[in-house]
Amino acid sequence: MILSHKAIDKHIFLPVVGLFGLTALFLMFGGHRLQKPLARILSWINIRFGWLYLLVFIINFVFLLWLACSRYGNIKLGKPNDKPVYSNFKWGSMVFATGIDASIMMLSITDPLEFIQTPPFGLKPYSDSAYVASSALSQFNWGPMAWMMFAPAAILIGYVTYRKNKPTQKLSDNFSFLQGNSNTKKISRTIIDFLVVIGIIGGLGSSIGMEVPRTSTVFSAVTALPNNIWLQLGIFSLLFVLLGLTVYKGLNGGIDRLSMAHIYLAIAFLIVILFVGPTHDLIIDFGKSLGVLVQKFIPLSVNIKPSPTQQDTIFYWGWWLTFMPLMGTFISRISRGRTIRQILFGMLAYGVTGCLMFHAVLGGYGLWLQKTGTVDLVSILNHNSQADVIVALISTLPFKKVMLIFYAISCFIFLATTISGAAYVLSSFTSTPLYGKEPSRFNRMSWVFVFLFFAFSLVLVGGFQVIQTMSVMAGLPLTLVCLLVLYSIYRSVRHDSELIFTPNELENTDRRQEYTVERKFAIRGKLILSFTNHNFSKQ
């Protein structure tokens, strides 16, 4: 049974939709004139609150490392006899496939090109040291600190769902100290869910607003169609039609399989560049940058001095915060039967390694083209756009038309799968209790429209700093949510019956819970947050 629009939690749904609708209209009418005011807002947040982002990420990273290495790391998200549903490799592949965004295929190239112009650590621009340090900084922004930000919600949701057998639909459901019927607790839960929904829309809308212009630029290079607002509007329209089919009716897992196929194609893309490019130089340069990353990891983590490179890190920290609830929901659902230690170290092993490979190959190749004078990518970046840099880089590869088509299609697929998965999660967050049912179609399609409408308004304003500003603003309130999640994790594991199940827990098999485990991008069957309770009578 599909719930109607009456099942929507209007206390969250209506204010958020209204807020982002008005914001989108403001951006659309303001257009390019808003670029400078938004840039000033970004600078102000960086100066006033940059320390807060850094502090939260440091606390999160240190706490989770302590948790993994302590005796609490032995806690299994599930009963003693629960086994992991997926093998280590399959689990790691799914985590990585969900954790990365198509943006890594652009930003791993363009970020180092930005940094060599204003390199960190006071280095001389375009010097050999600047090239190495710029690559290391780019890797830092996609490295361990980033991936550990996806973990808090995953650990908490998995613990409450599988360890405590308590169904969760919203992130606030997992805060034991906020459960109850008092007005204060109800208001607190509503505020938390409100901030989470705002953060997700802001982060995902920024991603779409960044990726559609890139896709249109690449598509224009292949088809010779003019790259203008009409082409971008056409891409938005295609996205809406595809998402209408997937989110409203479902495609029996088709998008899900395409998402996984995209990962394998992306890996193939890296292999092609590695072998047709300067393989030896890429490997050597990656080793040097990795050494600098290890050496400068702590200075980069505590860098509170405002600068262009530090501002870029703050943008990423805000961006990762907005994806924490989405990633946490997904990872928790595929991690039943794993210990906290296995989850945390697994995320580091698979997530960080995968991102480093993109930066080593794509980022390294871009820097090599610039350093050898093969293509002046910095000039293209400064006078055109990030998307034009992508076209210029891919044009140096064999079968450039084929590679450009592949790149555009893969980005388009990634966009569709990301939006459809997020629409399902947000529709659950903004529904009244579902009791195992799916969120209403009206709810799901509403979020698709909000995502695209807000992203289109960002495209009209234009400029990467606009994207950065929106991500940083959306992530700011989630700093508080992250700290609450960490506090709730600590409260839970500290009173975990001494890390063992009591006899009563082992014997209590009267009530079992069957969970529908799906990847974030899957649209087949139940929502990833859904669950079905079964009562079994004793024989």
Side-chain angles (χ1 to χ4, degrees), residues 142-156:
W142 292 78
M145 299 282 281
W147 276 91
M148 281 295 92
M149 184 46 68
F150 296 151
I155 299 299
L156 181 61

Side-chain angles (χ1 to χ4, degrees), residues 319-340:
W319 201 17
W320 301 144
L321 273 165
T322 64
F323 278 91
M324 177 189 66
L326 280 175
M327 280 299 297
T329 300
F330 162 68
I331 295 175
S332 69
R333 293 305 184 236
I334 65 171
S335 299
R336 184 173 189 173
R338 295 184 180 275
T339 66
I340 291 176

